[in-house]
Amino acid sequence: MRCFVKNCSDDATEAWQYGAGEVDLCPAHHEYVESGESWYLDAVERVVYVGSAVPGRVVAVSAAPAEGNPGGLMLRLTLAGANRAEDVKFLVPDEEAEVLMGVLRRGRDG
Ligand SMILES: [Zn+2]
C-alpha cells in the first residue's frame, strides 16, 4: 500500500494511529508526524498533508458591516502557516452569514 501523504509514492509500512482512526505511512512520514510536526488529514480525499502543504491556520478573525450591494458582513481572516501569513477578506451576504454560523457550530460539535 502507498503512503497516505499527498504526492508521496513510497510504500507504507507503518500504521499510524491518530485521534479518530488510522492511516498507513512510509517510515519517513511516520517519523515526521510522530515528531510533532504539523499535519492535516483530508477525510474526504483520504490524503494527509504535511509541512507547507498544511492549510493555513486562522489566527485572527474580525467582521464588520459591509457598505455596498449586496451588503452583509466583511469577514476578515488572518491566516498563518508554514512560510506564510496573509489576510483574506470575504464579503458575506446576510443569508450566507447565517449558513456560515450554522456550519461553524456543527463543525465544532462534530
Ligand atoms: Zn510518505
Side-chain angles (χ1 to χ4, degrees):
M1 182 177 286
R2 204 173 62 83
C3 177
F4 270 70
V5 171
K6 180 98 172 168
N7 297 328
C8 179
S9 55
D10 291 350
D11 287 336
T13 58
E14 314 273 349
W16 184 61
Q17 305 278 337
Y18 63 92
E22 182 180 293
V23 292
D24 297 314
L25 299 175
C26 68
H29 282 124
H30 185 263
E31 187 177 322
Y32 179 90
V33 296
E34 282 288 309
S35 74
E37 294 289 341
S38 295
W39 61 274
Y40 165 71
L41 170 69
D42 186 316
V44 175
E45 290 184 43
R46 297 291 296 161
V47 162
V48 174
Y49 292 89
V50 296
S52 62
V54 174
R57 180 178 348 121
V58 175
V59 294
V61 178
S62 66
E67 299 298 335
N69 183 7
L73 288 173
M74 182 58 70
L75 177 65
R76 180 184 188 147
L77 306 178
T78 302
L79 305 179
N83 308 319
R84 64 179 180 269
E86 63 180 314
D87 275 355
V88 289
K89 290 181 181 176
F90 302 93
L91 180 59
V92 185
D94 289 334
E95 63 273 19
E96 295 303 325
E98 292 296 321
V99 172
L100 181 60
M101 285 189 275
V103 166
L104 290 172
R105 265 189 224 107
R106 283 193 301 278
R108 186 177 178 97
D109 296 342

